[in-house]
């Protein structure tokens, strides 16, 4: 993948941060930080009580790293030695001036978009606010408290572990947490993560490190105004079809103590920038908060569609008060016009569907789950978001699920999703275990958090679902969390469950109903929205971990699990060796080395044994246990093949199944995980495979228990094509052929038939024979599956059958691969060179030549020197 220069990243970040509230501006301040004087960590870390320059937005970890006071948290195995940071109290200081125009205004407010997490804020020596939720926006009125020069803002961040641990330890019975710390910074039986409103993954997960952060992780801005200000603009769709759109532009206006009239001017511009509607009126404002609703109608509206189903047209809505150019009296919002339905049709067998319907059209959801892009969120810029989201679109995905154990993404994420036509399933930020929903203060804080984020993000057409949490209902009902607590204290267990129902069944549902502009709500994933059974294949969405998880079934088990909507399933793989090189020396690159184990979080570092289990099931043992490069290659081939099997099965089960979101798209750091795009943006084999198995038109030839069922999948309009079957040996001799015209069903599946192994082989050696199923459009092969009759490790493949040549071809390079015999899983690798490979992980038939475009700022000699092609034939 192309890397992006730091200058471009900075420019895009500044553009993304430009979406401040009307009339607000980033606080222009000199920031500094230190270990709070008197903190217990001071003795072990002397000198940290002195002030040092800080970066805001940021975190204490990144500030310490910038001053070279800690080593890189991602390189080697430094995690244990850095846990003291999360046990310490830290202080941040901002010194700033205020211009005369702002000081002259009657009102002023400081807004904090992210304080992580237990924060005590003072301004010019006097208390300003106390914060306890990293996901909320915090506001404080500061009129009369500012001065022209030398203002000082101080923020003390208390350790969330030390803040909460005494209360958790005092509980007679504890609610279930997530991942206990292996480092001794908190007891394994008294985890605090479920009690604090900060990103859950900061306490560690099975794909990322444990770094309990603190700091000003999002921006701080200052707003000043006089009689009134425009605080929000929302556009509600009351009716929408191809002929007409009836909209309501809803403005929130804050008025000071004196009532009075205000002129309101609303204008709508179409996707080409032309004014298509304008409404002007005068309204009477009462003191306090006012809601002003302005109806607007549009003829022949250009609707927003998910990618693959139409254009991503967006309108711009502008509102002004008093005809003024004062930014505090103006708002602008970019919107997409679309309708959203979560269709839950009952079937005649007692099941219930789960399908997203956009503008009246059922959409098969193809995509992946998204986790945080970094352990330290402020390091994630718009360029990095774009790189990964474009990769999702380029792999023919149309939906991403923002998983609930992280944080609510910046607007930049959703702006890019809107532009690319990617639907977003958005979790509220609850990652697992159980929450203290029985505590009224906790619930009130969550409701405030939910309103902040729903209102901030609701104008994005990409958001099509708000989901209460990740896996909490199934954990309570299926994993033993509820059973164990009921056995220990049935009264407390009933209280915990009622708190869950209150929070996820009622509170968040109400927030979305009131503020979500018609986007549906779902209480948990997986669930049937508080139905009796949580993780059901016949109703609601499904998480399926019997493959990879427990009991670690072989990948063929995917073919025996047919859900209504598969929202999680996955297999691990290591990233490219070029990525591993950035965290471990070549001497450290062994399956069981301490550094490699530190970057394998599954099973508390033992995950490579599970990975090796799946590799050996299908592909045999790596050449040499010390050959980490071969281990990486086989892990990626296994991951790609297994997920392809599942995804094609889901797609071929349409309309019973209407979604397939694998776990996971991206990485939080460099290491082993279920991702298809690694931390540095490099595509794993799975991502190339996804582009094929999520293609709009493809063939699903799925072999299980001695027979292969063949179905043709089509996302679009009905079309005429041909399908072809060739049974051939590995040298290219065709043993059987069939070629037939077919009309592909519109937005559906065409069943070609089921073929027994005996019928296809007709006595041929299964180890030396394959069946090739192809779809042809206009005489060109557009989809292919090569089906083997034995596991890959048992196939007899001719060795050294692939030749490669590199040449200049216009504005790019051309890599030509030619196979003399059947070649399986050819993987093209240019090491650390900054190049893009058009296609990868290829099966080549005997006598086939494939040309692959290679692009990047590298000369031909360097490319030729770096080129490696690995195949299963070479093993």
């Amino acid at each position: 993948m192309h890397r992006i220069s730091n200058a471009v990243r900075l420019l895009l970040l500044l553009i993304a941060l430009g979406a401040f509230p009307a009339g607000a501006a980033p606080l222009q301040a000199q920031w500094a930080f230190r270990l709070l004087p008197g903190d217990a960590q001071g003795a072990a870390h002397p000198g940290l009580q002195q002030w040092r320059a800080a970066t805001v937005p940021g975190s204490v970890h990144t500030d310490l790293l910038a001053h070279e006071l800690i080593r890189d948290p991602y390189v080697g195995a430094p995690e244990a030695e850095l846990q003291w940071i999360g046990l310490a109290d830290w202080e941040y200081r901002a010194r700033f001036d205020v211009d005369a125009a702002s000081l002259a205004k009657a009102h002023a407010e400081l807004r904090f978009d992210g304080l992580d997490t237990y924060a005590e804020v003072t301004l010019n020596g006097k208390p300003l606010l106390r914060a306890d939720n990293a996901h909320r926006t915090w506001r404080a009125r500061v009129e009369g408290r500012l001065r022209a020069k030398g203002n000082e803002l101080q923020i003390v961040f208390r350790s969330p572990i030390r803040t909460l641990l005494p209360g958790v330890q005092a509980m007679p019975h504890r609610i279930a947490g997530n991942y206990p710390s292996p480092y001794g910074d908190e007891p394994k039986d008294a985890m605090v993560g479920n009690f604090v409103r900060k990103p859950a993954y900061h306490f560690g997960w099975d794909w990322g490190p444990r770094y309990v952060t603190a700091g000003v992780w999002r921006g701080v801005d200052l707003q000043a105004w006089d009689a009134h200000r425009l605080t929000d603009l929302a556009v509600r769709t009351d009716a929408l079809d191809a002929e007409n759109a009836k909209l309501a532009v809803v403005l929130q206006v804050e008025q000071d103590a004196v009532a009075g009239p205000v002129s309101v001017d609303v204008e709508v511009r179409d996707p080409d920038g032309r004014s298509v509607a304008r409404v002007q009126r005068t309204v009477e404002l009462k003191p306090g908060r006012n809601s002003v609703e302005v109806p607007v109608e549009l003829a022949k509206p250009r609707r927003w569609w998910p990618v693959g189903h139409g254009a991503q047209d967006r309108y711009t809505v502008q509102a002004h008060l008093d005809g003024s150019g004062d930014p505090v009296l103006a708002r602008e919002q970019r919107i997409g016009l679309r309708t959203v339905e979560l269709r839950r049709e009952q079937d005649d067998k007692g099941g219930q569907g789960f399908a997203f319907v956009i503008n009246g059209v059922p959409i098969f959801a193809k995509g992946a789950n998204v986790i945080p892009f970094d352990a330290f969120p402020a390091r994630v810029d718009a360029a990095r978001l774009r790189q990964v989201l474009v990769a999702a679109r380029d792999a023919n995905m149309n939906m991403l699920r923002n998983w609930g154990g992280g944080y609510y993404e910046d607007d930049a994420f959703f702006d890019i999703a809107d532009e690319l036509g990617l639907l977003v399933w958005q979790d509220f930020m609850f990652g697992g275990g159980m929450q203290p929903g029985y505590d009224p203060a906790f619930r009130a804080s969550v409701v405030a958090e939910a309103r902040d984020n729903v209102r901030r993000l609701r104008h994005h057409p990409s958001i099509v679902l708000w989901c209460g949490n990740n896996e909490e209902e199934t954990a309570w009902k299926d994993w033993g969390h509820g059973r164990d607590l009921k056995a220990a204290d049935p009264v407390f267990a009933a209280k915990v469950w009622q708190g869950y129902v209150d929070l996820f069944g009622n509170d968040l549902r109400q927030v979305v109903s009131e503020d979500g502009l018609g986007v549906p709500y779902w209480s948990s994933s997986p669930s049937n929205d508080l139905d009796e059974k949580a993780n059901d294949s016949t109703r609601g969405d499904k998480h399926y971990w019997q493959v990879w998880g427990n009991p670690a079934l072989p990948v063929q088990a995917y073919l025996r699990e047919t859900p209504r909507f598969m929202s999680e399933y996955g297999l691990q793989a290591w990233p490219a060796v070029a990525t591993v090189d950035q965290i471990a020396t070549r001497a450290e690159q062994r399956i069981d080395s301490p550094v490699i184990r530190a970057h394998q979080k599954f099973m508390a570092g033992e995950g490579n044994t599970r990975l090796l289990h799946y590799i050996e099931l299908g592909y045999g043992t790596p050449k040499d246990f010390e050959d980490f490069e071969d281990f990486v290659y086989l892990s990626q081939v296994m991951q790609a093949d297994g997920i392809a099997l599942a995804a094609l099965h889901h797609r071929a089960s349409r309309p019973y199944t209407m979604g397939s979101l694998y776990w996971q798209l991206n990485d939080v750091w460099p290491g082993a995980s279920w991702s298809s795009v690694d931390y540095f943006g490099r595509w794993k084999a799975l991502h190339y495979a996804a582009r094929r198995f999520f293609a709009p038109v493809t063939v699903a030839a799925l072999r299980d228990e001695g027979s292969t069922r063949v179905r043709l999948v089509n996302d679009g309009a009905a079309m005429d094509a041909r399908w072809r079957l060739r049974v051939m040996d590995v040298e290219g001799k065709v043993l059987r052929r069939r070629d037939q015209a077919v009309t592909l069903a519109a937005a559906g599946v065409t069943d070609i038939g089921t073929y027994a192994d005996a019928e296809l082989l007709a006595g041929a050696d299964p180890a030396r024979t394959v069946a090739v199923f192809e779809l042809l459009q206009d005489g060109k092969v557009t989809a292919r599956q090569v089906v083997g009759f034995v596991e890959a490790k048992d196939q007899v493949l001719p060795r050294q059958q692939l030749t490669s040549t590199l040449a200049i071809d216009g504005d790019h390079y051309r890599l030509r691969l030619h196979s003399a015999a059947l070649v399986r899983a050819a993987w093209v690798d240019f090491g650390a060179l900054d190049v893009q490979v058009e296609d990868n992980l290829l099966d080549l038939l005997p006598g086939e030549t494939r040309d692959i475009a290679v692009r990047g700022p590298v000369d031909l000699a360097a490319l030729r020197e770096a080129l490696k092609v690995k195949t299963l034939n070479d093993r």
Side-chain angles (χ1 to χ4, degrees):
M1 302 298 102
H2 283 304
R3 294 192 183 178
I4 300 167
S5 73
N6 289 335
V8 173
R9 287 183 185 273
L10 179 59
L11 175 61
L12 291 172
L13 177 61
L14 293 174
I15 292 171
L17 294 177
F20 284 93
L27 187 68
Q28 302 300 311
Q30 292 181 324
W31 287 91
F33 83 110
R34 65 178 177 178
L35 183 68
L36 188 68
D39 187 270
Q41 298 295 328
H45 304 279
L48 290 183
Q49 292 92 345
Q50 69 184 58
W51 289 107
R52 291 177 170 84
T55 298
V56 169
S59 73
V60 67
H61 287 77
T62 52
D63 285 330
L64 290 168
L65 180 63
H67 288 279
E68 299 182 346
L69 296 170
I70 60 172
R71 59 186 177 123
D72 192 316
Y74 290 0
V75 177
E79 207 171 335
E81 70 192 57
L82 299 180
Q83 295 308 307
W84 65 272
I85 300 171
L87 292 171
D89 294 341
W90 298 91
E91 184 175 15
Y92 277 72
R93 180 184 71 193
R95 289 178 171 167
F96 63 98
D97 301 332
V98 180
D99 63 86
S102 296
L103 284 174
K105 300 286 188 182
H107 308 286
E109 180 181 85
L110 274 172
R111 168 180 163 137
F112 303 85
D113 286 335
L115 297 175
D116 180 16
T117 294
Y118 290 101
E120 301 156 13
V121 185
T122 62
L123 176 63
N124 295 330
K126 295 182 179 179
L128 187 64
L129 65 84
R130 297 174 71 94
D132 61 0
N133 187 326
H135 301 299
R136 285 183 61 179
T137 296
W138 297 91
R139 299 173 176 87
R141 297 292 284 268
V142 292
E143 56 262 28
R145 300 184 59 174
L146 296 171
R147 49 197 184 215
K149 301 289 184 182
N151 294 280
E152 185 165 285
L153 186 69
Q154 289 183 293
I155 309 174
V156 173
F157 291 98
R158 302 292 180 182
S159 163
I161 299 173
R162 286 166 49 191
T163 297
L164 291 170
L165 189 57
V168 174
Q169 288 180 310
M171 295 174 66
H173 302 286
R174 290 156 194 161
I175 59 177
N178 290 306
Y179 292 93
S181 173
Y183 304 113
D185 53 319
E186 70 176 6
K188 293 185 177 182
D189 64 346
M191 294 178 279
V192 306
N194 284 24
F195 296 86
V196 57
R197 295 309 298 145
K198 84 182 254 87
Y201 79 105
H202 285 167
F203 294 89
W205 220 264
D206 60 2
W207 36 252
R210 178 184 174 93
Y211 288 127
V212 182
T213 60
V216 186
W217 76 281
R218 277 187 168 151
V220 181
D221 63 76
L222 176 65
Q223 184 179 66
W225 70 98
D226 282 321
H228 42 248
R229 62 171 173 168
L230 179 54
T231 60
D232 193 30
L233 183 161
V235 181
R236 189 181 70 238
T237 302
D238 293 330
L240 176 65
D241 57 28
E243 299 301 318
N244 190 54
K246 293 183 178 181
L247 312 175
V249 179
V250 183
L251 308 177
Q252 301 300 322
V253 184
E254 186 175 321
Q255 174 73 9
D256 65 12
V258 179
V262 62
S263 65
V264 177
D265 185 348
V266 171
E267 184 177 19
V268 180
R269 295 184 177 276
D270 73 8
D272 300 318
R274 296 173 299 199
S275 180
V276 291
R278 186 169 186 178
V279 179
Q280 295 175 299
R281 62 176 53 182
T282 299
V283 298
E284 190 74 19
L285 298 181
K286 66 181 188 300
R289 295 179 180 176
N290 295 259
S291 183
V292 178
E293 189 166 310
V294 180
V296 175
E297 289 197 35
L298 303 177
K300 301 289 184 181
R302 292 158 64 175
R303 290 175 289 179
W304 183 94
W305 292 91
V307 62
H309 293 269
Q312 288 73 56
D313 286 325
R314 287 177 288 166
Y315 288 75
T316 301
V317 181
Q318 297 173 324
H320 297 269
L321 303 183
D322 294 337
S324 170
D326 187 344
V328 79
L329 302 177
R331 278 269 176 167
E332 179 178 295
Q333 206 71 276
R334 203 168 185 195
I335 65 168
L337 301 179
R338 54 94 182 96
T339 60
V340 183
E341 176 192 354
L342 181 59
R343 187 167 291 174
R344 310 290 326 288
E345 292 178 333
Q346 297 280 349
D347 62 32
D348 56 6
K349 296 181 180 179
Q352 190 174 18
F354 189 102
F356 289 93
V357 180
I358 310 299
N359 299 326
V361 177
I363 306 295
F364 188 98
K366 306 179 296 185
N369 289 259
V370 173
I371 64 170
F373 289 77
D374 205 289
F376 312 110
R379 300 205 299 193
V380 181
D381 59 26
R384 188 154 153 211
L385 295 172
R386 177 171 291 278
Q387 179 187 36
V388 177
L389 296 191
V390 167
R393 189 273 314 274
D394 289 350
N396 290 308
M397 296 184 187
N398 61 20
M399 176 176 274
L400 301 174
R401 174 184 172 229
N402 268 339
W403 169 79
Y407 52 87
Y408 304 93
E409 285 287 351
D410 285 343
D411 283 86
F413 178 99
F414 300 95
D415 287 337
I416 298 166
D418 293 346
E419 172 195 334
L420 298 177
L422 295 171
L423 303 174
V424 177
W425 166 320
Q426 179 63 52
D427 283 2
F428 285 100
M429 289 301 112
F430 296 90
M434 186 55 67
Q435 309 298 323
Y438 51 81
D439 178 0
F442 183 89
R443 280 177 56 198
S445 179
V446 171
V447 168
E449 161 196 324
R451 289 201 190 278
D452 281 348
N453 287 285
V454 170
R455 288 174 176 174
R456 174 173 68 92
L457 299 172
R458 61 186 171 183
H459 63 280
H460 291 285
S462 54
I463 297 178
V464 295
L465 186 72
W466 286 95
C467 178
N469 66 69
N470 171 76
E471 295 188 339
E472 294 200 3
E473 184 180 345
T474 192
W476 181 266
K477 293 179 176 179
D478 304 326
W479 301 357
H481 291 183
R483 179 200 62 218
D484 295 346
L485 192 56
K486 289 174 187 175
D489 187 340
V491 174
F492 182 53
K495 182 179 178 181
V496 170
W497 178 246
Q498 185 58 52
Y500 176 94
V501 173
D502 290 340
L503 180 57
F504 297 110
N506 301 323
D507 293 346
L508 294 180
R509 193 185 307 276
Q510 182 175 349
V511 170
V512 174
S513 175
E514 292 173 351
D515 292 331
L517 299 178
V519 171
Y521 174 78
W522 191 247
S523 61
S524 182
S525 181
S527 80
N528 194 40
D529 205 15
L530 285 168
D531 202 358
E532 181 178 353
K533 191 173 181 181
N535 197 13
D536 188 352
S537 296
T538 67
R539 301 164 67 87
D541 71 307
K542 178 80 174 181
H543 291 193
Y544 183 70
W545 287 105
Q546 280 68 42
V547 175
W548 181 266
N550 292 318
L553 298 176
V555 295
Q556 288 76 15
Y558 281 136
L559 300 177
R560 298 153 208 161
E561 177 60 46
T562 308
R564 307 312 297 253
F565 190 105
M566 187 70 89
S567 47
E568 276 193 27
Y569 63 101
L571 293 164
Q572 256 201 10
W574 273 85
V577 171
T579 291
V580 180
D581 284 341
Q582 295 179 254
I583 59 171
T585 66
R586 285 299 174 99
E588 293 167 329
Q589 292 180 28
R590 305 184 315 275
I591 294 175
D592 60 349
S593 80
V595 170
I596 293 302
R597 286 171 57 87
H599 287 260
Q600 168 57 277
K601 292 299 180 182
F602 183 66
M603 295 170 55
E606 299 292 337
N608 281 342
T609 60
R610 181 66 52 84
L611 190 48
L612 193 60
H613 165 74
Y614 276 94
I615 291 172
E616 289 179 332
L617 277 178
Y619 306 90
T621 303
K623 292 179 185 176
D624 182 335
F625 195 76
E626 300 298 314
D627 187 345
F628 195 72
E629 188 171 347
D630 195 43
F631 178 63
V632 167
Y633 166 70
L634 290 178
S635 76
Q636 291 203 19
V637 174
M638 179 277 298
Q639 181 192 39
D641 286 351
I643 299 304
L645 193 71
L648 287 170
H649 170 59
H650 301 152
R651 294 190 68 196
S653 301
R654 180 177 182 165
Y656 185 90
T657 302
M658 283 301 289
S660 182
L661 308 180
Y662 65 73
W663 186 271
Q664 66 207 54
L665 176 63
N666 61 309
D667 272 335
V668 73
W669 77 330
S673 82
W674 297 261
S675 74
S676 59
V677 178
D678 78 17
Y679 178 77
F680 295 110
R682 296 184 174 102
W683 289 22
K684 292 182 183 177
L686 170 57
H687 209 75
Y688 289 98
R691 187 160 59 189
R692 293 190 282 270
F693 62 66
F694 280 151
V697 178
T698 193
V699 57
L702 305 175
R703 180 180 177 274
D704 186 30
E705 297 181 328
S707 66
T708 300
R709 185 176 180 185
V710 184
R711 285 161 286 184
L712 307 179
V713 180
N714 176 27
D715 287 341
M719 66 172 66
D720 293 330
R722 301 192 70 83
W723 72 273
R724 181 169 68 193
L725 162 66
R726 287 179 289 169
V727 180
M728 63 177 66
D729 68 18
V730 295
E731 303 293 346
K733 181 181 179 181
V734 176
L735 309 176
R736 179 181 175 184
R737 177 192 294 267
R738 184 175 177 184
D739 190 320
Q740 186 172 323
V742 64
T743 298
L744 275 61
V749 177
T750 303
D751 197 338
I752 295 301
T754 301
Y755 298 86
D757 286 357
E759 177 186 0
L760 293 173
L761 287 167
D765 182 354
R768 298 183 58 85
T769 308
V770 294
V772 181
F773 294 91
E774 294 171 316
L775 185 65
L776 295 88
Q777 296 170 268
D778 298 325
K780 180 181 178 182
V781 175
T782 55
R784 172 193 289 168
Q785 271 197 271
V786 178
V787 176
F789 298 97
V790 296
E791 295 288 355
K793 65 182 178 182
D794 298 320
Q795 276 191 317
V796 178
L797 297 172
R799 294 177 61 82
Q800 298 177 340
Q801 294 298 307
L802 193 67
T803 59
S804 61
T805 57
L806 266 167
I808 297 174
D809 187 2
D811 63 351
H812 62 275
Y813 300 103
R814 183 193 68 240
L815 172 63
R816 175 162 290 172
L817 300 177
H818 178 77
S819 58
L822 176 67
V823 169
R824 300 298 306 270
W827 178 252
V828 176
D829 187 8
F830 289 100
L833 291 184
D834 185 15
V835 296
Q836 290 178 308
V837 180
E838 178 187 33
D839 203 1
N840 217 331
L841 191 69
L842 304 170
D843 290 340
L844 285 86
L845 302 182
E848 185 175 13
T849 298
R850 291 286 300 274
D851 286 344
I852 301 170
V854 180
R855 292 179 170 85
V858 181
D859 64 42
L860 183 58
L863 274 181
R864 286 172 171 163
E865 177 70 21
L867 174 63
K868 291 183 181 179
V869 183
K870 294 180 69 70
T871 75
L872 292 179
N873 299 57
D874 301 328
R875 306 199 68 260

